Amino acid sequence: MLSKTLEKALNDQVNKEYYSAFLYLSMSSYFESVNLLGMAAWMRTQYEEEVMHAIKIFDMIADMEGKVELKSVEAPPVKFESPLDVFTKTLEHERKVTGMINDIYSLAREENNYAVQSALQWFIDEQVEEEKSALEVVQQLKMIGDETTPLLMLDNKLGSRELEPGA
Ligand code: MG
């Protein structure tokens, strides 16, 4: 069972996960436009992961007898300055998402809803990974600065990322 408050919070989160998906797809398109195809592929994988997150919460609502209410998704930005700009925004965005997940978890705790707390545990762990991987790229891009060769090496490395099952 879900209270109306938790049902709304989870529905909002479904929408935010789809926004995340759109954001990363937009970033993927930016990387395609500047021919950093490894980073474009990385962002495409990120997009697919976010769609899975949305569906995971969608299922959570339905499994707990809640009502899913899909809303229109906000348009993501389309202009980006540089790879560093993109990954800095990725990190900022993921930190924001972590805050949202934490807020829903706090709500579930106040309401003594153990099922939601348990289901959200996966997302809490996932956010640690999301922040870690974005921060790693931000720091490496800062080290690289304006040099082309290491940028292309990093692009190559990021292009080999595979979609993690269940992520
Ligand atoms: Mg997510």
Side-chain angles (χ1 to χ4, degrees):
M1 268 294 280
L2 287 175
S3 67
K4 284 292 155 204
T5 319
L6 266 176
E7 183 184 67
K8 186 185 179 302
L10 289 170
N11 268 302
D12 286 347
Q13 195 57 35
V14 170
N15 189 272
K16 299 293 181 204
E17 298 294 337
Y18 277 118
Y19 174 77
S20 300
F22 266 35
L23 176 65
Y24 295 133
L25 196 57
S26 184
M27 288 172 168
S28 173
S29 154
Y30 162 77
F31 282 126
E32 293 247 3
S33 75
V34 293
N35 269 304
L36 287 168
L37 301 181
M39 293 183 188
W42 194 94
M43 284 296 172
R44 180 78 74 108
T45 303
Q46 194 74 5
Y47 155 77
E48 287 168 7
E49 275 196 16
E50 297 304 339
V51 171
M52 277 195 278
H53 294 169
I55 292 295
K56 242 184 158 84
I57 302 172
F58 174 101
D59 288 340
M60 202 194 293
I61 298 169
D63 289 348
M64 295 176 189
E65 299 171 61
K67 190 173 177 302
V68 171
E69 217 180 308
L70 296 174
K71 299 239 170 82
S72 52
V73 181
E74 193 190 324
V78 284
K79 275 196 186 145
F80 301 99
E81 303 294 323
S82 62
L84 180 59
D85 176 43
V86 175
F87 277 96
T88 302
K89 282 175 177 155
T90 299
L91 179 60
E92 284 167 4
H93 181 69
E94 287 304 330
R95 284 180 172 156
K96 222 190 286 172
V97 173
T98 300
M100 292 172 193
I101 300 286
N102 288 347
D103 287 347
I104 306 174
Y105 190 92
S106 301
L107 204 61
R109 221 171 48 177
E110 279 165 30
E111 292 188 9
N112 292 324
N113 190 322
Y114 300 105
V116 170
Q117 289 175 61
S118 168
L120 283 180
Q121 195 59 56
W122 183 91
F123 283 90
I124 291 169
D125 297 340
E126 173 68 11
Q127 283 311 118
V128 175
E129 284 305 309
E130 296 277 22
E131 287 188 33
K132 178 176 167 254
S133 56
L135 179 64
E136 206 177 278
V137 182
V138 165
Q139 288 177 332
Q140 289 180 5
L141 283 169
K142 281 183 181 167
M143 287 179 226
I144 288 169
D146 289 333
E147 289 181 68
T148 308
T149 309
L151 178 65
L152 292 176
M153 281 168 68
L154 179 61
D155 182 61
N156 209 310
K157 192 189 111 191
L158 293 179
S160 64
R161 172 191 185 189
E162 277 170 31
L163 191 62
E164 282 165 48

